[in-house]
Amino acid sequence: MSKQLALSIAASVLAMATFALFGGDARTGGIERDGPRWSAQTEVAPLPSIGQLLPALQ
């Protein structure tokens, strides 16, 4: 077994053991309590009509 695979397995087992011991309380809970501290906004172009995609169907 390679060293990278062994480290990956060890980290995974450690994470699962930590979660099993502390449950969902291991998280800090900041986002659930205070909400996100940033926001994102996007603009999306409208979808083209079927006539624009396939002019032969008009």
Side-chain angles (χ1 to χ4, degrees), residues 38-55:
W38 52 269
S39 64
Q41 297 179 359
T42 61
E43 292 183 18
V44 178
L47 294 175
S49 66
I50 191 72
Q52 290 174 327
L53 292 174
L54 300 171

Side-chain angles (χ1 to χ4, degrees), residues 8-25:
S8 176
I9 291 170
S12 178
V13 169
L14 180 62
M16 288 187 285
T18 303
F19 185 79
L21 288 174
F22 298 110
D25 297 333

Side-chain angles (χ1 to χ4, degrees), residues 21-39:
L21 288 174
F22 298 110
D25 297 333
R27 290 183 267 153
T28 58
I31 290 178
E32 291 88 3
R33 185 179 58 243
D34 300 332
R37 298 193 187 294
W38 52 269
S39 64

